[in-house]
Amino acid sequence: DTGVSQDPRHKITKRGQNVTFRCDPISEHNRLYWYRQTLGQGPEFLTYFQNEAQLEKSRLLSDRFSAERPKGSFSTLEIQRTEQGDSAMYLCASSTYDEQFFGPGTRLTVL
Amino acid sequence: GNSVTQMEGPVTLSEEAFLTINCTYTATGYPSLFWYVQYPGEGLQLLLKATKADDKGSNKGFEATYRKETTSFHLEKGSVQVSDSAVYFCALSGGDSGYALNFGKGTSLLVTP
């Protein structure tokens, strides 16, 4: 399978804990995006990388959130001191131009 | 800033009925427009796109035309099937959004036999 993969698929954590998600994009794609989707809503943009450079960050990305893409391949999204409001599906997408291909998402539940 | 508004669901249709899901947008510059589909239990998939005014995107019997004069990108299909039951998202990128996709809230479609 050469699509976008995300790990883990599900994460349950307690409020105040830190969590980290991984995204592996399609190998030839230089652009990588993170989105968050809550129930009944469309995905909301969080951040965007071109190669290893983080070029755009949404105001939704509070200082508890950090994303990296070392070496311009896989990416990680870390949430520190999780809150119940962080419960959502976290989606990763990659592209070479304007067509973004999405992974299956990581569903985060904060208890 | 950029935004997308799409009709609220759920939409329930009988098999072989005609489908229209309305989508309008607000954007500066010249955005690209997309329809994504999310089937039950699956990830988002690109259904079709259009990158400039009057372009028509089409795929799997679905069509949408980029109308700059009405700032619209309505999704249509002449005869829906039960397998089309899914959530449909209209989205745009470009202009103020840069490369990020700006999505509507989604429209749930249920097709009954």
Side-chain angles (χ1 to χ4, degrees):
Chain A
D1 185 15
T2 57
V4 178
S5 62
Q6 293 187 244
D7 184 70
R9 296 290 305 274
H10 303 273
K11 178 71 177 178
I12 299 173
T13 191
K14 293 183 179 178
R15 190 176 54 184
Q17 298 295 304
N18 298 345
V19 295
T20 300
F21 309 141
R22 178 181 171 119
C23 171
D24 286 273
I26 293 170
S27 59
E28 62 268 27
H29 287 181
N30 61 340
R31 296 176 184 164
L32 187 147
Y33 313 78
W34 285 97
Y35 294 84
R36 181 174 69 185
Q37 185 178 19
T38 54
L39 197 63
Q41 301 294 318
E44 296 173 296
F45 170 73
L46 293 177
T47 191
Y48 152 64
F49 291 84
Q50 182 152 327
N51 299 313
E52 66 276 9
Q54 188 173 18
L55 297 185
E56 241 180 291
K57 290 197 289 187
S58 161
R59 56 182 166 76
L60 292 177
L61 209 68
S62 77
D63 57 6
R64 296 185 297 106
F65 288 68
S66 63
E68 295 183 340
R69 195 184 181 195
K71 304 181 183 179
S73 56
F74 72 91
S75 175
T76 58
L77 177 69
E78 181 183 16
I79 308 174
Q80 295 183 326
R81 306 181 302 281
T82 53
E83 302 173 355
Q84 288 185 325
D86 296 331
S87 295
M89 179 75 85
Y90 289 84
L91 300 171
C92 176
S94 68
S95 74
T96 51
Y97 188 51
D98 61 352
E99 288 189 29
Q100 295 184 25
F101 294 83
F102 282 79
T106 295
R107 181 169 295 284
L108 173 66
T109 302
V110 181
L111 301 177
Chain B
N2 292 351
S3 67
V4 173
T5 302
Q6 58 183 108
M7 64 187 282
E8 302 227 356
V11 174
T12 303
L13 294 174
S14 298
E15 204 165 24
E16 300 183 2
F18 184 85
L19 168 71
T20 300
I21 300 179
N22 290 338
C23 171
T24 57
Y25 68 90
T26 303
T28 56
Y30 302 95
S32 295
L33 300 174
F34 305 84
W35 278 99
Y36 278 81
V37 59
Q38 193 167 34
Y39 297 104
E42 298 186 17
L44 275 168
Q45 300 175 25
L46 178 64
L47 181 59
L48 53 83
K49 72 170 188 177
T51 58
K52 61 183 188 295
D54 301 325
D55 266 3
K56 178 185 283 188
S58 61
N59 186 25
K60 299 182 181 180
F62 291 89
E63 293 182 339
T65 301
Y66 189 143
R67 301 285 189 200
K68 192 166 175 62
E69 63 276 12
T70 54
T71 62
S72 65
F73 192 55
H74 303 322
L75 182 69
E76 296 182 336
K77 186 174 185 183
S79 176
V80 293
Q81 304 301 309
V82 171
S83 57
D84 294 325
S85 298
V87 181
Y88 292 83
F89 294 93
C90 185
L92 67 80
S93 70
D96 282 355
S97 290
Y99 292 112
L101 283 167
N102 194 323
F103 285 88
K105 291 186 176 182
T107 302
S108 175
L109 170 66
L110 176 64
V111 181
T112 58

